[in-house]
Each structure stands twice: as structure tokens, then as C-alpha cells.
Amino acid sequence: QVQLVESGGGLVQAGGSLRLSCAASGRTFSGYATGWFRQAPGKEREFVAAITWSGGRTYYGDSVKGRFTISRDTAKNTVYLQMNSLKAEETAVYYCAAASGFPVVRPTGYDYWGQGTQVTVSS
């Protein structure tokens, strides 16, 4: 069992930056790929980014490429999402999730989820 806890959300102006963290407890991230998703009210959960266990490969949703960066610190059992040039339409609850296999873009491919952290981007 992996417990995931997100942090780092908050209120930021459009064009600003935030860094989200996803810390694992109970069991390490060892062997798990990690993804970030977001969900705005009334919308489906959307893939944002993912990273392999080794950190050697990263994947991004088209809307965030070039602005967001996913990384991981295996020693700290933590995955980060650096978000730059944020837009108002990116206001959502951001979730991290762990997958025992290869990272995928569909939420159903992930085994464990955090409780989410709210990101609000004011225009």
C-alpha cells in the first residue's frame, strides 16, 4: 500500500509559478511510475505529466509542454511538479498517482491516489 500526500497548492496570479510535491509514505515509490492529473469542477480528470520510476523518461500533456516540469527525488520519496506561466483555466485540484507499471495518460492506469491539492490561478 502506498499513501500519497500532495502539497504546494495555493493561489497564484496568472503568469506565476507554483511547485507541487507528492510524498509517498507507507511504502516507497520503488518501482512505481508517478503521474500528475488535474480536475476542474464539472470536468473530467486530465493528464498533466508522468515520470518513470528511474526518472529517466517524462511525459506531458500537450497543454503544459514547455511550462511544466516533473521530477523526482528517490531519496526523499517525493515527486515534484514545477508549474510556470500558469493560466486561469488551469485552476483545478491537482492529484498525484502511482502506477505499478509503465506511466500512462488514463487515470484508470494508476493504483494509488493522493487526496489532491487545490491550485487557483487568478486572472
Side-chain angles (χ1 to χ4, degrees), residues 39-111:
Q39 189 165 21
K43 295 188 176 182
E44 293 186 352
R45 195 161 294 191
E46 176 190 13
F47 172 76
V48 176
I51 188 167
T52 56
W53 157 243
S54 68
R57 298 191 69 174
T58 58
Y59 306 85
Y60 296 95
D62 289 341
S63 63
V64 306
K65 285 179 181 176
R67 297 185 298 118
F68 289 15
T69 303
I70 189 171
S71 61
R72 74 188 312 150
D73 185 331
T74 54
K76 294 184 178 179
N77 250 2
T78 301
V79 172
Y80 303 98
L81 183 68
Q82 177 67 43
M83 307 186 295
N84 298 329
S85 302
L86 282 161
K87 304 174 183 179
E89 56 265 35
E90 294 180 308
T91 294
V93 177
Y94 283 70
Y95 299 89
C96 71
S100 58
F102 198 75
V104 296
V105 301
R106 63 183 189 278
T108 54
Y110 291 78
D111 304 296

Coordinates of all heavy atoms in Angstrom, one line a residue, residues 39-111:
Q39 N -8.2 18.1 -12.1 CA -9.6 18.1 -12.3 C -10.3 19.4 -11.9 O -10.2 19.7 -10.7 CB -10.3 16.9 -11.6 CG -11.7 16.6 -12.0 CD -12.2 15.3 -11.5 OE1 -11.7 14.7 -10.6 NE2 -13.3 14.8 -12.2
A40 N -10.9 20.0 -12.8 CA -11.7 21.3 -12.6 C -13.1 20.9 -12.3 O -13.6 19.8 -12.8 CB -11.5 22.2 -13.7
P41 N -13.9 21.7 -11.7 CA -15.3 21.4 -11.4 C -16.0 21.2 -12.7 O -15.9 21.9 -13.7 CB -15.8 22.7 -10.7 CG -14.6 23.3 -10.1 CD -13.5 23.0 -11.0
G42 N -16.8 20.1 -12.7 CA -17.6 19.8 -13.9 C -16.8 19.2 -15.1 O -17.4 18.9 -16.1
K43 N -15.5 19.0 -14.9 CA -14.7 18.4 -16.0 C -14.1 17.1 -15.6 O -14.0 16.7 -14.4 CB -13.6 19.4 -16.4 CG -14.1 20.7 -16.9 CD -13.0 21.6 -17.5 CE -13.5 22.8 -18.1 NZ -12.4 23.7 -18.7
E44 N -13.7 16.3 -16.6 CA -13.0 15.1 -16.4 C -11.6 15.3 -15.9 O -11.0 16.3 -16.1 CB -13.0 14.2 -17.7 CG -14.4 13.8 -18.1 CD -14.3 12.9 -19.3 OE1 -13.2 12.7 -19.9 OE2 -15.4 12.3 -19.7
R45 N -11.1 14.2 -15.2 CA -9.7 14.3 -14.7 C -8.8 14.3 -15.9 O -8.9 13.4 -16.8 CB -9.5 13.1 -13.8 CG -8.2 13.2 -13.0 CD -8.2 12.3 -11.8 NE -9.2 12.7 -10.8 CZ -9.3 12.2 -9.6 NH1 -8.4 11.3 -9.2 NH2 -10.3 12.6 -8.8
E46 N -7.8 15.2 -15.9 CA -7.0 15.4 -17.1 C -5.5 15.0 -16.8 O -5.0 15.4 -15.7 CB -7.1 16.9 -17.5 CG -6.1 17.2 -18.7 CD -6.1 18.8 -18.9 OE1 -6.6 19.5 -18.0 OE2 -5.5 19.2 -19.9
F47 N -4.9 14.3 -17.7 CA -3.5 14.0 -17.5 C -2.6 15.3 -17.7 O -2.8 16.0 -18.6 CB -3.1 13.0 -18.6 CG -1.6 12.7 -18.6 CD1 -1.0 11.9 -17.6 CD2 -0.8 13.3 -19.6 CE1 0.4 11.7 -17.7 CE2 0.6 13.0 -19.7 CZ 1.2 12.2 -18.7
V48 N -1.7 15.4 -16.7 CA -0.8 16.6 -16.8 C 0.6 16.1 -17.1 O 1.3 16.7 -18.1 CB -0.8 17.3 -15.4 CG1 0.2 18.5 -15.5 CG2 -2.2 17.9 -15.1
A49 N 1.2 15.2 -16.3 CA 2.6 14.8 -16.5 C 2.8 13.5 -15.9 O 2.0 13.1 -14.9 CB 3.5 15.8 -16.0
A50 N 3.8 12.7 -16.3 CA 4.2 11.5 -15.6 C 5.7 11.3 -15.7 O 6.3 11.8 -16.6 CB 3.4 10.3 -16.3
I51 N 6.2 10.4 -14.8 CA 7.6 10.2 -14.8 C 7.8 8.7 -14.4 O 7.1 8.1 -13.6 CB 8.3 11.1 -13.8 CG1 9.9 11.0 -13.9 CG2 7.9 10.9 -12.4 CD1 10.6 12.1 -13.2
T52 N 8.8 8.1 -15.1 CA 9.1 6.7 -14.7 C 9.8 6.6 -13.4 O 10.2 7.6 -12.8 CB 10.0 6.1 -15.8 OG1 11.2 6.9 -15.9 CG2 9.3 6.0 -17.2
W53 N 9.8 5.4 -12.9 CA 10.5 5.2 -11.5 C 11.9 5.7 -11.5 O 12.3 6.4 -10.6 CB 10.4 3.7 -11.1 CG 11.5 3.4 -10.1 CD1 12.5 2.6 -10.2 CD2 11.6 4.0 -8.8 NE1 13.3 2.5 -9.1 CE2 12.8 3.4 -8.2 CE3 10.9 4.9 -8.1 CZ2 13.2 3.7 -6.9 CZ3 11.3 5.2 -6.8 CH2 12.4 4.7 -6.2
S54 N 12.6 5.4 -12.6 CA 14.0 5.8 -12.6 C 14.2 7.3 -12.9 O 15.2 7.9 -12.6 CB 14.7 5.1 -13.8 OG 14.2 5.5 -15.0
G55 N 13.1 8.0 -13.3 CA 13.2 9.4 -13.7 C 13.8 9.6 -15.0 O 13.9 10.8 -15.4
G56 N 14.1 8.5 -15.7 CA 14.7 8.7 -17.0 C 13.8 9.1 -18.1 O 14.3 9.7 -19.1
R57 N 12.5 9.0 -18.0 CA 11.6 9.4 -19.0 C 10.5 10.2 -18.4 O 9.9 9.8 -17.3 CB 11.1 8.2 -19.8 CG 12.2 7.4 -20.5 CD 11.6 6.4 -21.5 NE 11.0 7.0 -22.6 CZ 10.5 6.4 -23.7 NH1 10.6 5.1 -23.7 NH2 9.9 7.0 -24.7
T58 N 10.1 11.2 -19.1 CA 9.0 12.1 -18.6 C 8.0 12.2 -19.8 O 8.4 12.2 -20.9 CB 9.5 13.4 -18.1 OG1 10.2 14.1 -19.2 CG2 10.4 13.3 -16.9
Y59 N 6.8 12.5 -19.4 CA 5.7 12.7 -20.4 C 4.8 13.8 -19.9 O 4.6 14.0 -18.7 CB 4.8 11.4 -20.4 CG 5.7 10.2 -20.7 CD1 6.3 9.5 -19.7 CD2 5.9 9.7 -22.0 CE1 7.1 8.4 -19.9 CE2 6.6 8.6 -22.2 CZ 7.2 7.9 -21.2 OH 8.0 6.8 -21.4
Y60 N 4.3 14.6 -20.9 CA 3.5 15.7 -20.6 C 2.2 15.8 -21.5 O 2.3 15.4 -22.6 CB 4.3 17.0 -20.8 CG 5.5 17.1 -19.9 CD1 6.8 16.7 -20.3 CD2 5.3 17.6 -18.6 CE1 7.8 16.7 -19.4 CE2 6.4 17.7 -17.7 CZ 7.7 17.3 -18.2 OH 8.7 17.3 -17.3
G61 N 1.2 16.4 -20.9 CA 0.0 16.7 -21.7 C 0.4 17.8 -22.6 O 1.2 18.7 -22.3
D62 N -0.3 17.9 -23.7 CA 0.0 18.9 -24.8 C -0.1 20.3 -24.2 O 0.7 21.2 -24.6 CB -0.9 18.7 -26.0 CG -0.5 17.5 -26.8 OD1 0.6 16.9 -26.6 OD2 -1.4 17.0 -27.6
S63 N -1.1 20.5 -23.4 CA -1.3 21.9 -22.9 C -0.3 22.4 -21.9 O -0.2 23.6 -21.7 CB -2.7 22.0 -22.3 OG -2.8 21.1 -21.1
V64 N 0.5 21.5 -21.4 CA 1.5 22.0 -20.4 C 3.0 21.9 -20.9 O 3.9 22.3 -20.2 CB 1.4 21.2 -19.0 CG1 -0.1 21.3 -18.6 CG2 1.8 19.8 -19.2
K65 N 3.2 21.3 -22.0 CA 4.5 21.1 -22.5 C 5.3 22.5 -22.6 O 4.7 23.5 -23.1 CB 4.5 20.5 -23.9 CG 4.2 19.0 -23.9 CD 4.2 18.4 -25.3 CE 3.8 16.9 -25.2 NZ 3.7 16.3 -26.6
G66 N 6.5 22.5 -22.1 CA 7.3 23.7 -22.2 C 7.1 24.6 -21.0 O 7.8 25.5 -20.8
R67 N 6.1 24.3 -20.2 CA 5.8 25.2 -19.0 C 5.9 24.4 -17.7 O 6.2 25.0 -16.6 CB 4.4 25.8 -19.1 CG 4.2 26.7 -20.3 CD 2.8 27.4 -20.3 NE 1.7 26.4 -20.3 CZ 0.8 26.3 -19.4 NH1 0.9 27.0 -18.3 NH2 -0.1 25.3 -19.5
F68 N 5.5 23.1 -17.7 CA 5.6 22.3 -16.5 C 6.7 21.3 -16.6 O 7.1 20.9 -17.7 CB 4.3 21.5 -16.4 CG 3.1 22.3 -16.0 CD1 3.0 23.7 -16.1 CD2 1.9 21.7 -15.6 CE1 1.9 24.4 -15.8 CE2 0.8 22.4 -15.2 CZ 0.8 23.7 -15.3
T69 N 7.3 21.0 -15.4 CA 8.4 20.0 -15.4 C 8.1 19.1 -14.2 O 7.9 19.5 -13.1 CB 9.7 20.7 -15.2 OG1 10.0 21.7 -16.2 CG2 10.9 19.7 -15.2
I70 N 8.2 17.8 -14.5 CA 8.0 16.8 -13.5 C 9.4 16.2 -13.2 O 10.2 16.0 -14.0 CB 7.0 15.7 -13.9 CG1 6.7 14.7 -12.7 CG2 7.5 14.9 -15.1 CD1 5.6 13.7 -13.0
S71 N 9.6 16.0 -11.9 CA 10.9 15.4 -11.5 C 10.7 14.6 -10.2 O 9.6 14.6 -9.6 CB 11.9 16.5 -11.2 OG 11.5 17.4 -10.1
R72 N 11.7 13.8 -9.9 CA 11.5 13.0 -8.7 C 12.9 12.9 -7.9 O 13.9 13.0 -8.5 CB 11.0 11.6 -9.0 CG 11.9 10.6 -9.6 CD 11.2 9.4 -10.0 NE 10.4 8.9 -8.9 CZ 9.2 8.2 -9.1 NH1 8.8 7.9 -10.3 NH2 8.5 7.8 -8.1
D73 N 12.7 12.8 -6.6 CA 13.9 12.6 -5.7 C 13.7 11.3 -5.0 O 12.9 11.2 -4.1 CB 14.0 13.8 -4.7 CG 15.2 13.7 -3.8 OD1 15.7 12.6 -3.6 OD2 15.7 14.8 -3.4
T74 N 14.3 10.3 -5.5 CA 14.0 9.0 -5.0 C 14.5 8.8 -3.5 O 13.9 8.1 -2.7 CB 14.7 7.9 -5.8 OG1 16.1 8.2 -5.9 CG2 14.1 7.8 -7.2
A75 N 15.5 9.6 -3.1 CA 16.0 9.5 -1.8 C 14.9 10.1 -0.8 O 14.8 9.6 0.3 CB 17.3 10.3 -1.6
K76 N 14.2 11.0 -1.3 CA 13.2 11.7 -0.4 C 11.8 11.1 -0.7 O 10.8 11.5 -0.1 CB 13.1 13.2 -0.7 CG 14.4 13.9 -0.2 CD 14.2 15.4 -0.4 CE 15.5 16.1 0.1 NZ 15.4 17.6 -0.1
N77 N 11.7 10.1 -1.6 CA 10.4 9.5 -1.9 C 9.4 10.6 -2.3 O 8.2 10.5 -2.0 CB 9.9 8.8 -0.7 CG 9.9 7.3 -0.9 OD1 10.3 6.8 -1.9 ND2 9.4 6.6 0.1
T78 N 9.8 11.5 -3.1 CA 9.0 12.6 -3.5 C 9.1 12.9 -5.0 O 10.1 12.8 -5.6 CB 9.4 13.9 -2.7 OG1 9.3 13.6 -1.3 CG2 8.5 15.1 -3.0
V79 N 7.9 13.3 -5.5 CA 7.8 13.7 -6.9 C 7.4 15.1 -6.9 O 6.5 15.5 -6.1 CB 6.9 12.8 -7.7 CG1 6.6 13.3 -9.1 CG2 7.5 11.4 -7.8
Y80 N 7.9 15.9 -7.8 CA 7.6 17.3 -7.9 C 7.0 17.7 -9.2 O 7.2 17.0 -10.3 CB 8.8 18.2 -7.7 CG 9.6 17.9 -6.4 CD1 10.7 17.0 -6.4 CD2 9.2 18.5 -5.2 CE1 11.4 16.8 -5.3 CE2 9.9 18.2 -4.1 CZ 10.9 17.3 -4.1 OH 11.6 17.1 -2.9
L81 N 6.2 18.7 -9.2 CA 5.6 19.3 -10.5 C 5.9 20.8 -10.4 O 5.2 21.5 -9.6 CB 4.2 19.0 -10.6 CG 3.5 19.5 -11.9 CD1 4.1 18.7 -13.1 CD2 2.0 19.4 -11.9
Q82 N 6.8 21.3 -11.2 CA 7.1 22.7 -11.3 C 6.2 23.3 -12.4 O 6.2 22.8 -13.5 CB 8.5 23.0 -11.6 CG 8.9 24.4 -11.8 CD 8.8 25.2 -10.5 OE1 9.2 24.8 -9.5 NE2 8.2 26.4 -10.6
M83 N 5.4 24.2 -12.0 CA 4.4 24.8 -12.9 C 4.7 26.3 -13.1 O 4.7 27.1 -12.2 CB 3.0 24.6 -12.4 CG 2.6 23.2 -12.0 SD 0.9 23.0 -11.6 CE 0.8 24.0 -10.1
N84 N 5.0 26.6 -14.4 CA 5.3 28.0 -14.7 C 4.3 28.6 -15.7 O 3.6 27.8 -16.3 CB 6.7 28.1 -15.3 CG 7.8 27.6 -14.4 OD1 7.7 27.8 -13.2 ND2 8.9 27.1 -14.9
S85 N 4.3 29.9 -15.7 CA 3.4 30.6 -16.7 C 1.9 30.0 -16.6 O 1.3 29.7 -17.6 CB 3.9 30.4 -18.1 OG 5.2 30.9 -18.2
L86 N 1.5 30.0 -15.3 CA 0.1 29.4 -15.1 C -1.0 30.3 -15.7 O -0.8 31.5 -15.8 CB -0.1 29.2 -13.6 CG 0.6 28.0 -13.0 CD1 0.8 28.1 -11.5 CD2 -0.2 26.7 -13.4
K87 N -2.0 29.6 -16.1 CA -3.2 30.3 -16.7 C -4.4 30.1 -15.9 O -4.5 29.1 -15.1 CB -3.4 29.7 -18.1 CG -2.2 29.7 -19.0 CD -2.5 28.9 -20.3 CE -1.2 28.9 -21.2 NZ -1.5 28.2 -22.5
A88 N -5.3 31.0 -16.0 CA -6.5 30.9 -15.1 C -7.3 29.6 -15.4 O -7.9 29.1 -14.4 CB -7.4 32.1 -15.4
E89 N -7.3 29.2 -16.6 CA -8.0 27.9 -16.9 C -7.4 26.7 -16.3 O -7.9 25.6 -16.5 CB -8.2 27.8 -18.4 CG -6.9 27.8 -19.2 CD -6.6 29.2 -19.8 OE1 -6.9 30.2 -19.0 OE2 -6.0 29.2 -20.9
E90 N -6.2 26.8 -15.7 CA -5.6 25.7 -15.1 C -5.9 25.6 -13.6 O -5.4 24.8 -12.9 CB -4.1 25.8 -15.3 CG -3.7 25.7 -16.8 CD -2.2 25.7 -17.0 OE1 -1.6 26.7 -16.6 OE2 -1.8 24.8 -17.8
T91 N -6.9 26.4 -13.2 CA -7.4 26.3 -11.8 C -8.1 24.9 -11.7 O -9.0 24.5 -12.5 CB -8.4 27.4 -11.5 OG1 -7.7 28.6 -11.5 CG2 -9.1 27.2 -10.2
A92 N -7.7 24.1 -10.7 CA -8.2 22.8 -10.6 C -7.6 22.2 -9.3 O -6.7 22.7 -8.6 CB -7.8 21.9 -11.7
V93 N -8.1 21.0 -8.9 CA -7.5 20.2 -7.9 C -6.5 19.3 -8.6 O -6.8 18.6 -9.6 CB -8.5 19.3 -7.2 CG1 -7.8 18.4 -6.1 CG2 -9.5 20.2 -6.5
Y94 N -5.3 19.3 -8.1 CA -4.2 18.5 -8.7 C -3.9 17.3 -7.9 O -3.8 17.4 -6.6 CB -2.9 19.4 -8.8 CG -3.0 20.4 -10.0 CD1 -3.9 21.5 -10.0 CD2 -2.2 20.2 -11.1 CE1 -3.9 22.4 -11.0 CE2 -2.3 21.1 -12.2 CZ -3.1 22.2 -12.1 OH -3.2 23.0 -13.2
Y95 N -3.9 16.2 -8.5 CA -3.7 14.9 -7.9 C -2.4 14.2 -8.4 O -2.1 14.3 -9.5 CB -4.8 13.9 -8.2 CG -6.2 14.4 -7.7 CD1 -7.0 15.2 -8.6 CD2 -6.7 14.0 -6.5 CE1 -8.2 15.6 -8.2 CE2 -7.9 14.4 -6.1 CZ -8.7 15.2 -6.9 OH -10.0 15.6 -6.5
C96 N -1.7 13.6 -7.5 CA -0.6 12.7 -7.9 C -1.1 11.2 -7.7 O -2.0 10.9 -6.9 CB 0.7 12.9 -7.2 SG 0.7 12.4 -5.4
A97 N -0.5 10.4 -8.5 CA -1.0 9.0 -8.6 C 0.2 8.1 -8.9 O 1.2 8.5 -9.6 CB -2.1 8.8 -9.6
A98 N 0.2 6.9 -8.4 CA 1.3 5.9 -8.6 C 0.8 4.7 -9.4 O -0.3 4.2 -9.1 CB 1.9 5.5 -7.3
A99 N 1.6 4.3 -10.4 CA 1.3 3.2 -11.2 C 2.4 2.1 -11.1 O 3.5 2.5 -11.2 CB 1.1 3.6 -12.7
S100 N 1.9 0.9 -10.9 CA 2.9 -0.2 -10.8 C 3.6 -0.5 -12.1 O 4.6 -1.2 -12.2 CB 2.3 -1.4 -10.2 OG 1.2 -1.9 -11.0
G101 N 3.0 -0.1 -13.2 CA 3.6 -0.4 -14.5 C 4.1 0.9 -15.1 O 4.5 1.9 -14.5
F102 N 4.1 0.9 -16.4 CA 4.6 2.0 -17.2 C 3.6 3.1 -17.1 O 2.4 2.9 -17.0 CB 4.7 1.6 -18.7 CG 5.6 2.5 -19.5 CD1 6.9 2.4 -19.4 CD2 5.0 3.3 -20.4 CE1 7.8 3.2 -20.1 CE2 5.8 4.2 -21.2 CZ 7.2 4.1 -21.0
P103 N 4.1 4.4 -17.0 CA 3.1 5.5 -16.9 C 2.2 5.6 -18.1 O 2.7 5.5 -19.2 CB 4.0 6.7 -16.7 CG 5.3 6.3 -17.3 CD 5.5 4.8 -17.0
V104 N 1.0 5.9 -17.9 CA 0.0 6.1 -18.9 C -0.8 7.4 -18.7 O -0.7 7.9 -17.6 CB -1.0 4.9 -19.0 CG1 -0.2 3.6 -19.4 CG2 -1.7 4.7 -17.7
V105 N -1.5 7.8 -19.7 CA -2.3 9.0 -19.6 C -3.7 8.8 -19.0 O -4.3 9.8 -18.6 CB -2.3 9.8 -20.9 CG1 -0.9 10.0 -21.5 CG2 -3.2 8.9 -21.9
R106 N -4.2 7.6 -18.9 CA -5.5 7.4 -18.4 C -5.5 7.2 -16.9 O -4.7 6.4 -16.4 CB -6.2 6.3 -19.1 CG -5.5 4.9 -18.9 CD -6.2 3.8 -19.7 NE -5.7 2.5 -19.3 CZ -4.6 2.0 -19.8 NH1 -3.9 2.7 -20.6 NH2 -4.2 0.8 -19.4
P107 N -6.4 7.8 -16.2 CA -6.4 7.7 -14.8 C -6.6 6.2 -14.3 O -6.1 5.9 -13.2 CB -7.6 8.5 -14.3 CG -7.7 9.5 -15.4 CD -7.4 8.8 -16.7
T108 N -7.3 5.4 -15.1 CA -7.5 4.0 -14.6 C -6.2 3.2 -14.6 O -6.2 2.1 -14.1 CB -8.5 3.4 -15.6 OG1 -8.1 3.5 -16.9 CG2 -9.9 4.0 -15.4
G109 N -5.2 3.7 -15.2 CA -3.9 3.0 -15.2 C -3.1 3.2 -13.9 O -2.0 2.6 -13.8
Y110 N -3.6 3.9 -12.9 CA -2.9 4.2 -11.7 C -3.6 3.4 -10.5 O -4.8 3.3 -10.4 CB -2.8 5.7 -11.4 CG -1.9 6.3 -12.5 CD1 -2.4 6.6 -13.8 CD2 -0.6 6.7 -12.1 CE1 -1.5 7.2 -14.7 CE2 0.2 7.3 -13.1 CZ -0.3 7.5 -14.4 OH 0.6 8.0 -15.3
D111 N -2.7 3.0 -9.6 CA -3.1 2.2 -8.5 C -3.4 2.9 -7.2 O -4.3 2.5 -6.4 CB -2.1 1.1 -8.2 CG -1.7 0.3 -9.4 OD1 -2.6 -0.4 -9.9 OD2 -0.6 0.4 -9.9

